[in-house]
């Protein structure tokens, strides 16, 4: 019985650690809470999870991009969420938020001050029609 307690403690420590790492559900759920201005307790209640299952949920790896919805549902089921659909919807929203935030920080030379910067040679005469030899 003592081993079980130690194993549970180790697992719980792992989930707490993983929840704060990139590539795990906890990071996305935290960002979603910040955006929606809700507490951890509110989010946990929305998913229908007890404290232990919610800790496990946060320590799960993110769903795979090519199986996102299916993986999110499996994660919800393995964490015994009473409302797995709420979790799946939250993960889809978090993925959109993540994509939007990463596109805003894009440092592509084509993007200047949030607008498109056309790439062309300033020495080209754009108004001059092309000769057949130039094509």
């Amino acid at each position: 019985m003592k081993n079980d307690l130690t194993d549970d403690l180790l697992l719980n420590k792992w989930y707490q650690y993983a929840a704060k790492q990139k590539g795990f559900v906890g990071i996305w759920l935290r960002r979603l809470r910040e955006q929606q201005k809700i507490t951890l307790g509110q989010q946990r209640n929305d998913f229908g999870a007890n404290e232990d299952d919610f800790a496990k949920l946060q320590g799960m790896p993110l769903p795979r991009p090519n199986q996102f919805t299916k993986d999110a549902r499996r994660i919800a089921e393995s964490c015994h969420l009473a409302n797995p659909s709420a979790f799946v919807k939250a993960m889809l929203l978090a993925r959109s938020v993540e994509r939007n935030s990463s596109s805003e920080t894009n440092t592509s030379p084509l993007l200047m001050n949030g607008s498109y910067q056309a790439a062309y040679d300033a020495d080209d005469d754009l108004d001059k029609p092309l000769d057949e030899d130039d094509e």
Side-chain angles (χ1 to χ4, degrees):
M1 192 78 153
K2 194 172 189 177
N3 272 347
D4 291 339
L5 182 58
T6 304
D7 289 345
D8 288 343
L9 283 173
L10 287 173
L11 268 176
N12 197 1
K13 292 284 186 191
W14 163 251
Y15 293 141
Q16 290 175 13
Y17 169 79
K20 298 174 185 167
Q21 304 305 310
K22 185 177 180 180
F24 288 84
V25 169
I27 291 290
W28 280 20
L29 292 181
R30 182 176 52 86
R31 287 184 185 149
L32 205 53
R33 284 192 304 272
E34 290 169 358
Q35 184 181 22
Q36 295 176 329
K37 297 178 182 8
I38 62 172
T39 66
L40 186 136
Q42 288 171 314
Q43 192 176 56
R44 184 170 52 84
N45 288 337
D46 288 346
F47 301 154
N50 64 37
E51 287 184 34
D52 290 337
D53 288 336
F54 194 73
K56 179 181 178 181
L57 175 70
Q58 293 184 95
M60 299 294 278
L62 289 172
R64 298 169 294 182
N66 61 340
Q67 298 282 317
F68 194 86
T69 305
K70 191 181 279 187
D71 282 357
R73 181 155 302 279
R74 286 182 184 156
I75 290 168
E77 290 169 0
S78 73
C79 294
H80 311 289
L81 301 184
N83 192 356
S85 296
F87 173 72
V88 172
K89 288 176 186 176
M91 291 304 293
L92 290 168
L93 178 58
R95 181 176 65 174
S96 295
V97 168
E98 188 68 23
R99 284 181 179 167
N100 288 339
S101 69
S102 66
S103 69
E104 289 173 4
T105 59
N106 187 352
T107 57
S108 167
L110 296 178
L111 289 175
M112 300 278 182
N113 299 326
S115 61
Y116 179 74
Q117 175 70 31
Y120 70 94
D121 186 353
D123 295 333
D124 284 345
D125 187 3
L126 299 177
D127 293 327
K128 178 182 167 193
L130 289 175
D131 294 332
E132 288 181 15
D133 295 335
D134 291 339
E135 293 180 31

